[in-house]
Short mmCIF file of all heavy atoms in Angstrom, two decimals:
data_model
loop_
_atom_site.label_atom_id
_atom_site.label_comp_id
_atom_site.label_asym_id
_atom_site.label_seq_id
_atom_site.Cartn_x
_atom_site.Cartn_y
_atom_site.Cartn_z
N LEU A 16 -25.39 -84.94 209.22
CA LEU A 16 -24.52 -85.30 208.09
C LEU A 16 -25.06 -84.73 206.78
O LEU A 16 -24.29 -84.21 205.97
CB LEU A 16 -24.38 -86.81 208.00
CG LEU A 16 -23.49 -87.46 209.05
CD1 LEU A 16 -23.57 -88.98 208.94
CD2 LEU A 16 -22.05 -87.00 208.90
N GLY A 17 -26.36 -84.83 206.58
CA GLY A 17 -26.96 -84.26 205.37
C GLY A 17 -26.74 -82.77 205.30
O GLY A 17 -26.40 -82.22 204.24
N TYR A 18 -26.89 -82.09 206.41
CA TYR A 18 -26.68 -80.64 206.47
C TYR A 18 -25.24 -80.29 206.14
O TYR A 18 -24.96 -79.40 205.35
CB TYR A 18 -27.08 -80.12 207.85
CG TYR A 18 -26.83 -78.65 208.05
CD1 TYR A 18 -27.64 -77.70 207.44
CD2 TYR A 18 -25.77 -78.20 208.83
CE1 TYR A 18 -27.42 -76.35 207.61
CE2 TYR A 18 -25.53 -76.86 209.01
CZ TYR A 18 -26.36 -75.92 208.39
OH TYR A 18 -26.13 -74.59 208.57
N LEU A 19 -24.30 -81.02 206.72
CA LEU A 19 -22.88 -80.73 206.49
C LEU A 19 -22.47 -80.98 205.05
O LEU A 19 -21.65 -80.26 204.50
CB LEU A 19 -22.01 -81.56 207.44
CG LEU A 19 -22.09 -81.18 208.92
CD1 LEU A 19 -21.28 -82.17 209.77
CD2 LEU A 19 -21.58 -79.76 209.13
N PHE A 20 -23.02 -82.02 204.43
CA PHE A 20 -22.66 -82.31 203.05
C PHE A 20 -23.38 -81.42 202.05
O PHE A 20 -22.96 -81.28 200.91
CB PHE A 20 -22.91 -83.79 202.72
CG PHE A 20 -21.86 -84.69 203.28
CD1 PHE A 20 -22.14 -85.51 204.36
CD2 PHE A 20 -20.58 -84.70 202.74
CE1 PHE A 20 -21.17 -86.34 204.89
CE2 PHE A 20 -19.60 -85.53 203.28
CZ PHE A 20 -19.90 -86.35 204.34
N CYS A 21 -24.47 -80.78 202.46
CA CYS A 21 -25.24 -79.92 201.55
C CYS A 21 -24.80 -78.46 201.61
O CYS A 21 -25.17 -77.68 200.75
CB CYS A 21 -26.73 -80.02 201.85
SG CYS A 21 -27.41 -81.62 201.44
N ILE A 22 -24.05 -78.09 202.62
CA ILE A 22 -23.59 -76.70 202.71
C ILE A 22 -22.57 -76.46 201.62
O ILE A 22 -21.58 -77.18 201.52
CB ILE A 22 -22.93 -76.42 204.09
CG1 ILE A 22 -23.95 -76.55 205.20
CG2 ILE A 22 -22.30 -75.03 204.11
CD1 ILE A 22 -23.34 -76.39 206.57
N PRO A 23 -22.80 -75.46 200.76
CA PRO A 23 -21.79 -75.19 199.73
C PRO A 23 -20.52 -74.63 200.35
O PRO A 23 -20.57 -73.88 201.32
CB PRO A 23 -22.46 -74.15 198.83
CG PRO A 23 -23.53 -73.55 199.66
CD PRO A 23 -23.92 -74.57 200.69
N THR A 24 -19.40 -75.05 199.80
CA THR A 24 -18.14 -74.50 200.29
C THR A 24 -18.01 -73.06 199.81
O THR A 24 -18.39 -72.76 198.69
CB THR A 24 -16.95 -75.31 199.76
OG1 THR A 24 -17.34 -76.01 198.61
CG2 THR A 24 -16.35 -76.20 200.76
N PRO A 25 -17.51 -72.19 200.65
CA PRO A 25 -17.37 -70.80 200.22
C PRO A 25 -16.44 -70.71 199.01
O PRO A 25 -15.42 -71.38 198.96
CB PRO A 25 -16.74 -70.09 201.43
CG PRO A 25 -16.69 -71.07 202.54
CD PRO A 25 -17.03 -72.42 201.99
N VAL A 26 -16.85 -69.91 198.05
CA VAL A 26 -16.05 -69.73 196.84
C VAL A 26 -14.89 -68.79 197.16
O VAL A 26 -15.10 -67.70 197.69
CB VAL A 26 -16.92 -69.14 195.70
CG1 VAL A 26 -16.08 -68.88 194.47
CG2 VAL A 26 -18.07 -70.07 195.38
N GLN A 27 -13.70 -69.25 196.88
CA GLN A 27 -12.52 -68.42 197.09
C GLN A 27 -12.39 -67.48 195.89
O GLN A 27 -12.33 -67.94 194.75
CB GLN A 27 -11.27 -69.28 197.22
CG GLN A 27 -11.26 -70.19 198.42
CD GLN A 27 -11.21 -69.40 199.73
OE1 GLN A 27 -10.54 -68.39 199.82
NE2 GLN A 27 -11.93 -69.87 200.71
N GLU A 28 -12.36 -66.19 196.15
CA GLU A 28 -12.19 -65.24 195.06
C GLU A 28 -10.77 -65.32 194.55
O GLU A 28 -9.82 -65.21 195.32
CB GLU A 28 -12.49 -63.82 195.54
CG GLU A 28 -13.97 -63.55 195.67
CD GLU A 28 -14.24 -62.06 195.79
OE1 GLU A 28 -13.76 -61.29 194.94
OE2 GLU A 28 -14.91 -61.69 196.74
N LYS A 29 -10.64 -65.48 193.26
CA LYS A 29 -9.31 -65.55 192.65
C LYS A 29 -8.72 -64.16 192.50
O LYS A 29 -7.51 -63.98 192.57
CB LYS A 29 -9.39 -66.24 191.31
CG LYS A 29 -8.03 -66.53 190.72
CD LYS A 29 -8.09 -67.50 189.59
CE LYS A 29 -6.67 -67.82 189.14
NZ LYS A 29 -6.61 -68.73 188.04
N TYR A 30 -9.58 -63.16 192.28
CA TYR A 30 -9.12 -61.79 192.08
C TYR A 30 -9.86 -60.86 193.03
O TYR A 30 -10.71 -60.08 192.60
CB TYR A 30 -9.35 -61.36 190.64
CG TYR A 30 -8.72 -62.28 189.61
CD1 TYR A 30 -9.49 -63.23 188.94
CD2 TYR A 30 -7.37 -62.20 189.31
CE1 TYR A 30 -8.91 -64.06 188.00
CE2 TYR A 30 -6.80 -63.04 188.37
CZ TYR A 30 -7.57 -63.96 187.72
OH TYR A 30 -7.00 -64.79 186.79
N PRO A 31 -9.59 -60.92 194.32
CA PRO A 31 -10.33 -60.07 195.26
C PRO A 31 -10.06 -58.58 195.00
O PRO A 31 -8.97 -58.20 194.61
CB PRO A 31 -9.79 -60.49 196.63
CG PRO A 31 -8.52 -61.20 196.37
CD PRO A 31 -8.58 -61.73 194.97
N GLY A 32 -11.10 -57.80 195.19
CA GLY A 32 -10.98 -56.35 195.04
C GLY A 32 -11.17 -55.85 193.62
O GLY A 32 -11.19 -54.64 193.40
N ARG A 33 -11.31 -56.74 192.66
CA ARG A 33 -11.51 -56.29 191.27
C ARG A 33 -13.00 -56.12 190.99
O ARG A 33 -13.83 -56.78 191.58
CB ARG A 33 -10.95 -57.31 190.28
CG ARG A 33 -9.45 -57.41 190.31
CD ARG A 33 -9.00 -58.23 189.15
NE ARG A 33 -7.58 -58.52 189.20
CZ ARG A 33 -6.93 -59.13 188.23
NH1 ARG A 33 -7.57 -59.54 187.14
NH2 ARG A 33 -5.64 -59.36 188.33
N GLU A 34 -13.28 -55.28 190.03
CA GLU A 34 -14.67 -55.10 189.58
C GLU A 34 -15.03 -56.28 188.68
O GLU A 34 -14.35 -56.56 187.70
CB GLU A 34 -14.81 -53.79 188.80
CG GLU A 34 -16.22 -53.51 188.36
CD GLU A 34 -16.35 -52.18 187.63
OE1 GLU A 34 -15.45 -51.34 187.74
OE2 GLU A 34 -17.37 -52.01 186.95
N LYS A 35 -16.10 -56.98 189.05
CA LYS A 35 -16.52 -58.14 188.27
C LYS A 35 -17.29 -57.68 187.02
O LYS A 35 -18.11 -56.79 187.07
CB LYS A 35 -17.39 -59.06 189.10
CG LYS A 35 -16.60 -59.79 190.18
CD LYS A 35 -17.41 -60.90 190.78
CE LYS A 35 -16.75 -61.68 191.86
NZ LYS A 35 -15.35 -61.63 192.03
N VAL A 36 -16.98 -58.33 185.91
CA VAL A 36 -17.66 -58.08 184.64
C VAL A 36 -18.25 -59.41 184.22
O VAL A 36 -17.52 -60.35 183.89
CB VAL A 36 -16.67 -57.56 183.57
CG1 VAL A 36 -17.37 -57.38 182.23
CG2 VAL A 36 -16.02 -56.26 184.02
N TYR A 37 -19.58 -59.52 184.29
CA TYR A 37 -20.26 -60.78 183.97
C TYR A 37 -20.50 -60.86 182.47
O TYR A 37 -21.09 -59.97 181.87
CB TYR A 37 -21.56 -60.89 184.76
CG TYR A 37 -21.28 -60.99 186.24
CD1 TYR A 37 -21.31 -59.88 187.06
CD2 TYR A 37 -20.92 -62.21 186.81
CE1 TYR A 37 -21.01 -59.96 188.41
CE2 TYR A 37 -20.63 -62.31 188.15
CZ TYR A 37 -20.67 -61.19 188.95
OH TYR A 37 -20.37 -61.27 190.28
N PHE A 38 -20.02 -61.96 181.87
CA PHE A 38 -20.04 -62.16 180.42
C PHE A 38 -20.79 -63.44 180.10
O PHE A 38 -20.35 -64.53 180.42
CB PHE A 38 -18.59 -62.23 179.92
CG PHE A 38 -18.46 -62.68 178.49
CD1 PHE A 38 -19.26 -62.16 177.48
CD2 PHE A 38 -17.48 -63.60 178.14
CE1 PHE A 38 -19.10 -62.57 176.16
CE2 PHE A 38 -17.32 -64.01 176.83
CZ PHE A 38 -18.14 -63.49 175.84
N TRP A 39 -21.97 -63.28 179.48
CA TRP A 39 -22.76 -64.43 179.04
C TRP A 39 -22.41 -64.71 177.59
O TRP A 39 -22.43 -63.81 176.75
CB TRP A 39 -24.24 -64.14 179.15
CG TRP A 39 -24.76 -64.02 180.54
CD1 TRP A 39 -24.07 -64.10 181.70
CD2 TRP A 39 -26.12 -63.79 180.89
NE1 TRP A 39 -24.91 -63.94 182.77
CE2 TRP A 39 -26.18 -63.74 182.30
CE3 TRP A 39 -27.28 -63.62 180.18
CZ2 TRP A 39 -27.36 -63.53 182.99
CZ3 TRP A 39 -28.46 -63.40 180.86
CH2 TRP A 39 -28.51 -63.37 182.25
N HIS A 40 -22.12 -65.96 177.30
CA HIS A 40 -21.80 -66.34 175.92
C HIS A 40 -22.50 -67.65 175.60
O HIS A 40 -23.06 -68.31 176.48
CB HIS A 40 -20.28 -66.47 175.74
CG HIS A 40 -19.67 -67.54 176.57
ND1 HIS A 40 -19.64 -68.86 176.17
CD2 HIS A 40 -19.07 -67.50 177.79
CE1 HIS A 40 -19.03 -69.58 177.09
NE2 HIS A 40 -18.69 -68.78 178.10
N MET A 41 -22.49 -68.00 174.34
CA MET A 41 -23.17 -69.22 173.90
C MET A 41 -22.21 -70.27 173.36
O MET A 41 -22.64 -71.21 172.71
CB MET A 41 -24.22 -68.86 172.85
CG MET A 41 -25.34 -68.01 173.42
SD MET A 41 -26.58 -67.56 172.20
CE MET A 41 -25.73 -66.27 171.32
N TRP A 42 -20.94 -70.12 173.61
CA TRP A 42 -19.98 -71.12 173.16
C TRP A 42 -19.96 -72.29 174.13
O TRP A 42 -19.81 -72.10 175.33
CB TRP A 42 -18.58 -70.52 173.03
CG TRP A 42 -18.43 -69.65 171.82
CD1 TRP A 42 -18.33 -70.05 170.52
CD2 TRP A 42 -18.38 -68.23 171.80
NE1 TRP A 42 -18.21 -68.96 169.70
CE2 TRP A 42 -18.23 -67.83 170.46
CE3 TRP A 42 -18.43 -67.24 172.78
CZ2 TRP A 42 -18.14 -66.51 170.08
CZ3 TRP A 42 -18.35 -65.92 172.40
CH2 TRP A 42 -18.20 -65.56 171.06
N SER A 43 -20.08 -73.48 173.60
CA SER A 43 -20.06 -74.67 174.44
C SER A 43 -19.18 -75.72 173.77
O SER A 43 -18.57 -75.45 172.74
CB SER A 43 -21.48 -75.21 174.65
OG SER A 43 -22.06 -75.55 173.40
N GLY A 44 -19.15 -76.89 174.34
CA GLY A 44 -18.37 -77.97 173.76
C GLY A 44 -16.90 -77.60 173.67
O GLY A 44 -16.31 -77.07 174.62
N GLU A 45 -16.31 -77.84 172.52
CA GLU A 45 -14.87 -77.58 172.33
C GLU A 45 -14.53 -76.10 172.37
O GLU A 45 -13.38 -75.72 172.60
CB GLU A 45 -14.39 -78.19 171.02
CG GLU A 45 -15.03 -77.54 169.80
CD GLU A 45 -14.85 -78.34 168.53
OE1 GLU A 45 -14.87 -79.58 168.60
OE2 GLU A 45 -14.71 -77.72 167.46
N TRP A 46 -15.52 -75.22 172.17
CA TRP A 46 -15.25 -73.78 172.15
C TRP A 46 -15.27 -73.15 173.53
O TRP A 46 -14.66 -72.11 173.77
CB TRP A 46 -16.28 -73.07 171.25
CG TRP A 46 -16.11 -73.49 169.82
CD1 TRP A 46 -16.89 -74.38 169.13
CD2 TRP A 46 -15.08 -73.09 168.93
NE1 TRP A 46 -16.41 -74.55 167.87
CE2 TRP A 46 -15.30 -73.76 167.72
CE3 TRP A 46 -13.99 -72.23 169.04
CZ2 TRP A 46 -14.46 -73.58 166.61
CZ3 TRP A 46 -13.17 -72.06 167.94
CH2 TRP A 46 -13.41 -72.74 166.75
N GLN A 47 -16.00 -73.75 174.47
CA GLN A 47 -16.10 -73.16 175.81
C GLN A 47 -14.75 -72.98 176.49
O GLN A 47 -14.47 -71.90 177.03
CB GLN A 47 -17.05 -73.97 176.69
CG GLN A 47 -17.31 -73.30 178.02
CD GLN A 47 -18.41 -73.98 178.81
OE1 GLN A 47 -19.11 -74.85 178.31
NE2 GLN A 47 -18.57 -73.58 180.05
N PRO A 48 -13.86 -73.97 176.48
CA PRO A 48 -12.55 -73.76 177.12
C PRO A 48 -11.74 -72.64 176.45
O PRO A 48 -10.97 -71.95 177.11
CB PRO A 48 -11.84 -75.11 176.96
CG PRO A 48 -12.90 -76.10 176.66
CD PRO A 48 -14.02 -75.36 176.01
N ILE A 49 -11.94 -72.45 175.16
CA ILE A 49 -11.22 -71.39 174.45
C ILE A 49 -11.69 -70.02 174.95
O ILE A 49 -10.87 -69.14 175.24
CB ILE A 49 -11.41 -71.53 172.93
CG1 ILE A 49 -10.76 -72.83 172.45
CG2 ILE A 49 -10.87 -70.31 172.19
CD1 ILE A 49 -11.12 -73.24 171.05
N VAL A 50 -13.00 -69.84 175.09
CA VAL A 50 -13.54 -68.58 175.60
C VAL A 50 -13.11 -68.37 177.04
O VAL A 50 -12.70 -67.26 177.43
CB VAL A 50 -15.08 -68.57 175.47
CG1 VAL A 50 -15.68 -67.38 176.17
CG2 VAL A 50 -15.49 -68.59 174.01
N GLU A 51 -13.17 -69.41 177.84
CA GLU A 51 -12.77 -69.28 179.24
C GLU A 51 -11.28 -68.98 179.38
O GLU A 51 -10.88 -68.21 180.24
CB GLU A 51 -13.17 -70.54 180.01
CG GLU A 51 -14.67 -70.63 180.17
CD GLU A 51 -15.16 -71.90 180.82
OE1 GLU A 51 -14.34 -72.80 181.10
OE2 GLU A 51 -16.38 -71.99 181.05
N ARG A 52 -10.47 -69.54 178.49
CA ARG A 52 -9.03 -69.24 178.51
C ARG A 52 -8.79 -67.78 178.12
O ARG A 52 -7.93 -67.10 178.70
CB ARG A 52 -8.25 -70.18 177.60
CG ARG A 52 -6.75 -70.00 177.71
CD ARG A 52 -5.93 -71.08 176.99
NE ARG A 52 -6.37 -71.36 175.64
CZ ARG A 52 -6.94 -72.51 175.26
NH1 ARG A 52 -7.14 -73.48 176.11
NH2 ARG A 52 -7.32 -72.68 174.00
N ALA A 53 -9.54 -67.26 177.14
CA ALA A 53 -9.41 -65.85 176.75
C ALA A 53 -9.77 -64.95 177.93
O ALA A 53 -9.08 -63.96 178.20
CB ALA A 53 -10.29 -65.55 175.55
N CYS A 54 -10.83 -65.30 178.66
CA CYS A 54 -11.21 -64.51 179.84
C CYS A 54 -10.12 -64.60 180.91
O CYS A 54 -9.76 -63.58 181.51
CB CYS A 54 -12.54 -65.01 180.40
SG CYS A 54 -13.95 -64.72 179.30
N HIS A 55 -9.59 -65.79 181.12
CA HIS A 55 -8.51 -65.97 182.10
C HIS A 55 -7.29 -65.14 181.71
O HIS A 55 -6.69 -64.46 182.56
CB HIS A 55 -8.14 -67.45 182.20
CG HIS A 55 -6.90 -67.71 182.99
ND1 HIS A 55 -6.87 -67.68 184.37
CD2 HIS A 55 -5.63 -67.96 182.59
CE1 HIS A 55 -5.64 -67.92 184.78
NE2 HIS A 55 -4.87 -68.09 183.72
#
Side-chain angles (χ1 to χ4, degrees):
L16 286 173
Y18 176 73
L19 291 174
F20 283 108
C21 292
I22 295 175
T24 21
V26 177
Q27 296 294 323
E28 283 195 53
K29 188 165 185 181
Y30 305 100
R33 291 190 188 186
E34 183 178 343
K35 289 192 180 343
V36 177
Y37 294 96
F38 170 45
W39 291 3
H40 63 84
M41 294 180 283
W42 285 286
S43 60
E45 64 195 35
W46 294 103
Q47 186 171 351
I49 295 168
V50 172
E51 290 175 355
R52 187 170 47 248
C54 294
H55 170 78

